[in-house]
Amino acid sequence: MSRSLPTVEVTNLGKRYRLGRMTPRESLARVLGRARTDHPENHHWALRKVSFTLNRGDVLGVVGANGAGKSTLLKLMSRITHPTEGRALIRGRVGSLLEVGTGFHPELTGMENVFINGAILGMSRKEIRSQLANILEFAGIGKYIDTPVKRYSSGMYTRLAFAVAAHLEPEVMIVDEVLAVGDAAFQKRCLDKMHDAAESGRTILFVSHGAGNVQKLCNKALYLKDGQPEAYGEVQAILDRYQTPEEDASPPTPQVTLPPPKLDAPVEGLHLRFANTHGQPATRFALGEPFSVELDLKVHRTLPACVIALGMTSADGTPVCTCWSPPADLPPGQHRVHFPIELPLKATALQFALGISSNDLVHYYASELGHINIGPNIAPHIPALQKTTAASGLMINPHAAQVLTLASNASAPTPATSPAPTLDASSAPAPVSSTETSH
């Protein structure tokens, strides 16, 4: 491949979907070339007018709210779906890691899927075998490599899928926010691997809700809004624009309607609600003030050992905390989960992510949900801070230390004034209260 030519050239790329289902009559008319379904009201542009160029070693971070067109862009780049207009030219082999379950055959073993994916990339069995040890070590699934992947947990599936995408030497890597399924250690290994891949000259397209990851990994950024490019260029400038609330943006609301589930999912999220300690709907809380989050969900098929996870992130995508419900068998019907939260946060804005899993399989996931504000007013039991520094972090905990008098200071003169009050660690608020599942 010539070094003078860009690795990726995207020109006026767009994807349009038809709204609603097509009747048998309309399907026949389309086959015969007599379709009359091109009225604008029958279609929705999920992506339009996207153009950019990437060279060897470029890492493009794609940011935007839910429904902005990020996943549609990556599916077009991966050739999973065809564009309605424009083109995406890629010079070299492409390794994709999109939604969990994409690219693997569920009935085949992990080992068989490794070789099939390598063959799709145009690699010989000898080339695949040369990377096999590295793939297995990175995936860390041990003896389960010879087990059909339909029996894998979502974490095992993701580790193997990323290991295959990263080690089978594609010139272009396309990675969606699927890494959110893994734990923190796995995410760090993946980011380190992508950094090494970029250093070796590979081109990477990376979707992430974590601005910190985009800032560390990427040298270019694309901000999508309502399916169209809002800004493209230098990473920090794009992130600043993405994270700045718009003047006409809707104010935060105490109830959020959750996005629909995937087709045939056994469970769906309905609403998130935010409330103060008196149970009153609220979106602003004082520093240190407890609040609660309630989730309404609907189960279509029995979910054994179901676990609901509520993640909290700052406005720039930095993880703050995750609350988990205890495993419980959920029968079909509507259920409610109550998350009481008590965190010593600094003044900040919070967004939420939601995951619903059963037996380690993730059935529902949504991020960038809701918007609540912490501070800057001070709760009665939290003293006002005179100064904060960059090292203060996301949380404050002024009651978590105890002042002790050392024996060597025993002979020092005692001040005439009253002694300073002792800060007792036992009075510190709990970082996160437990969660409970109610039916």
Side-chain angles (χ1 to χ4, degrees):
M1 183 173 62
S2 173
R3 289 178 177 270
S4 62
L5 295 175
T7 308
V8 176
E9 289 183 90
V10 174
T11 307
N12 197 34
L13 194 64
K15 179 64 180 180
R16 184 182 66 180
Y17 289 101
R18 187 183 189 280
L19 300 178
R21 293 187 175 183
M22 189 176 297
T23 65
R25 181 188 295 272
E26 290 173 331
S27 298
L28 179 60
R30 169 166 290 189
V31 171
L32 297 176
R34 302 174 182 175
R36 297 181 180 179
T37 58
D38 291 330
H39 194 280
E41 293 182 358
N42 294 333
H43 298 91
H44 167 69
W45 284 96
L47 194 73
R48 201 168 196 188
K49 300 178 181 178
V50 175
S51 300
F52 59 85
T53 300
L54 300 177
N55 297 309
R56 283 172 51 91
D58 280 342
V59 183
L60 175 67
V62 184
V63 298
N66 288 332
K70 304 185 299 298
S71 295
T72 300
L73 172 62
L74 298 197
K75 288 177 181 178
L76 290 170
M77 301 297 294
S78 302
R79 304 293 191 265
I80 292 176
T81 186
H82 296 289
T84 305
E85 64 180 18
R87 69 169 190 166
L89 175 61
I90 300 178
R91 296 181 173 92
R93 298 180 294 198
V94 179
S96 300
L97 181 59
L98 305 180
E99 298 174 352
V100 173
T102 302
F104 279 3
H105 193 296
E107 299 295 336
L108 301 181
T109 67
M111 184 72 76
E112 291 167 336
N113 274 291
V114 169
F115 279 89
I116 287 177
N117 275 259
I120 291 173
L121 288 174
M123 300 180 69
S124 67
R125 291 184 68 87
K126 182 178 180 180
E127 290 176 309
I128 299 171
R129 287 189 182 281
S130 69
Q131 290 291 338
L132 193 56
N134 293 330
I135 292 173
L136 299 182
E137 180 183 2
F138 191 97
I141 60 175
K143 61 183 179 181
Y144 298 105
I145 191 65
D146 293 317
T147 300
V149 297
K150 67 180 181 180
R151 300 197 180 106
Y152 286 11
S153 68
S154 56
M156 293 168 61
Y157 208 116
T158 304
R159 291 199 301 273
L160 181 59
F162 185 88
V164 169
H167 288 88
L168 291 186
E169 301 180 351
E171 281 79 17
V172 179
M173 288 181 62
I174 298 176
V175 183
D176 206 343
E177 56 192 346
V178 68
L179 296 185
V181 176
D183 56 33
F186 169 71
Q187 291 181 35
K188 184 179 185 304
R189 291 173 64 200
C190 291
L191 292 171
D192 290 343
K193 185 64 181 177
M194 286 192 286
H195 181 270
D196 293 342
E199 289 290 321
S200 66
R202 299 188 202 178
T203 303
I204 300 175
L205 281 78
F206 177 51
V207 164
S208 176
H209 286 294
N213 291 337
V214 173
Q215 193 171 36
K216 293 175 185 176
L217 184 66
C218 305
N219 66 329
K220 294 182 178 180
L222 171 65
Y223 173 21
L224 294 178
K225 181 181 177 183
D226 299 328
Q228 298 198 33
E230 184 75 5
Y232 169 68
E234 191 271 326
V235 173
Q236 191 56 56
I238 301 302
L239 292 179
D240 289 343
R241 185 164 179 178
Y242 169 53
Q243 295 166 3
T244 302
E246 300 180 11
E247 293 182 0
D248 60 348
S250 301
T253 59
Q255 177 166 304
V256 177
T257 300
L258 300 179
K262 296 179 182 178
L263 186 66
D264 200 35
V267 61
E268 63 178 305
L270 301 177
H271 301 97
L272 279 184
R273 284 187 296 276
F274 313 111
N276 59 24
T277 53
H278 303 293
Q280 299 171 333
T283 58
R284 180 174 290 279
F285 305 93
L287 298 185
E289 178 185 1
F291 63 94
S292 65
V293 181
E294 279 191 347
L295 162 68
D296 286 339
L297 60 107
K298 188 174 184 179
V299 177
H300 301 292
R301 301 190 298 273
T302 298
L303 291 178
C306 181
V307 173
I308 297 97
L310 180 75
M312 287 169 274
T313 66
S314 61
D316 66 356
T318 303
V320 175
C321 181
T322 302
C323 301
W324 305 83
S325 71
D329 296 338
L330 295 187
Q334 194 161 324
H335 305 271
R336 178 167 295 171
V337 187
H338 179 73
F339 295 93
I341 311 294
E342 187 172 355
L343 291 170
L345 287 166
K346 292 199 312 183
T348 187
L350 291 181
Q351 291 181 326
F352 297 84
L354 176 68
I356 303 175
S357 61
S358 175
N359 290 332
D360 290 330
L361 293 177
V362 177
H363 298 296
Y364 183 88
Y365 179 80
S367 58
E368 290 189 344
L369 304 173
H371 175 206
I372 67 172
N373 294 302
I374 307 297
N377 48 324
I378 309 297
H381 61 287
I382 300 291
L385 300 180
Q386 299 300 317
K387 181 181 180 181
T388 58
T389 67
S392 298
L394 289 168
M395 299 190 185
I396 54 174
N397 202 348
H399 296 306
Q402 185 177 16
V403 178
L404 302 176
T405 302
L406 300 179
S408 60
N409 294 334
S411 59
T414 303
T417 57
S418 300
T422 299
L423 300 181
D424 187 359
S426 64
S427 63
V432 183
S433 55
S434 62
T435 64
E436 59 181 87
T437 305
S438 57
H439 308 291

